[in-house]
């Protein structure tokens, strides 16, 4: 089963995304900030880091850079509602996919499937 570490500071969005990904068959660990995600990256294996970019204490780009150091096989996908932040993410983490808010949950699940080369239909 694909394991996803979700870092999203907005509680409602975090719950919403985690539930959608779990319903699609993924194992999700959800945290509310980058600094809370660090111990998970250092002690557990994840296939995907799904992170908001704008978060308190440590932004998603810093988190992704740390992830690349401690867990280089973990793929990275960003979610953000800020266009300027999208440009920064593309510059500083060019290998990461950026999904702009607002998006439909089906789009999120489809993007995750694409990252792993899966062709199954999204089931929400």
């Amino acid at each position: 089963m694909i394991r996803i570490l979700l870092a999203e500071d907005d509680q409602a969005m975090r719950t919403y995304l985690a539930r959608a990904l779990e319903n699609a068959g993924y194992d999700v660990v959800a945290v509310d900030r980058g600094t809370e995600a660090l111990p998970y990256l250092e002690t557990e294996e994840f296939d995907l880091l799904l992170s908001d970019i704008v978060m308190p204490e440590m932004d998603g780009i810093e988190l992704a850079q740390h992830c690349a150091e401690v867990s280089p096989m973990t793929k990275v996908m960003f979610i953000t509602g800020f266009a300027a932040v999208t440009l920064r993410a593309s510059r500083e983490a060019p290998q990461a996919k950026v999904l702009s808010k607002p998006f439909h949950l089906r789009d999120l699940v489809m993007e995750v499937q694409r990252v792993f080369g899966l062709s199954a239909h999204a089931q929400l």
Side-chain angles (χ1 to χ4, degrees), residues 47-49 53 60-78 86-99 111 114-116:
D47 301 294
L48 176 67
L49 169 63
I53 296 176
I61 295 171
E62 291 174 280
L63 178 59
Q65 291 168 339
H66 187 79
C67 178
E69 293 172 12
V70 300
S71 184
M73 299 304 291
T74 301
K75 297 177 185 317
V76 176
M77 183 183 300
F78 293 123
T86 300
L87 294 174
R88 178 176 165 230
S90 297
R91 226 181 14 257
E92 295 185 30
Q95 74 287 0
K97 169 74 180 156
V98 180
L99 195 59
E111 285 300 326
R114 277 192 207 117
V115 165
F116 293 104

Side-chain angles (χ1 to χ4, degrees), residues 3-68:
R3 294 195 75 215
I4 298 173
L5 178 57
L6 170 63
E8 167 63 61
D9 61 320
D10 181 272
Q11 181 179 355
M13 178 65 82
R14 185 173 61 253
T15 301
Y16 188 60
L17 296 175
R19 187 174 301 135
L21 292 165
E22 288 168 348
N23 288 343
Y26 299 107
D27 179 22
V28 180
V29 173
V31 298
D32 69 351
R33 63 192 67 213
T35 53
E36 188 180 341
L38 291 177
Y40 286 100
L41 286 172
E42 293 170 352
T43 60
E44 297 184 34
E45 289 189 24
F46 291 92
D47 301 294
L48 176 67
L49 169 63
L50 176 61
S51 179
D52 190 1
I53 296 176
V54 179
M55 294 184 292
E57 296 178 17
M58 171 184 278
D59 70 25
I61 295 171
E62 291 174 280
L63 178 59
Q65 291 168 339
H66 187 79
C67 178

Side-chain angles (χ1 to χ4, degrees), residues 8 13 16-17 52 78-83 86 98-108 111:
E8 167 63 61
M13 178 65 82
Y16 188 60
L17 296 175
D52 190 1
F78 293 123
I79 48 179
T80 187
F82 300 96
T86 300
V98 180
L99 195 59
S100 295
K101 296 176 189 175
F103 53 82
H104 192 282
L105 290 177
R106 183 173 28 250
D107 296 331
L108 171 65
E111 285 300 326

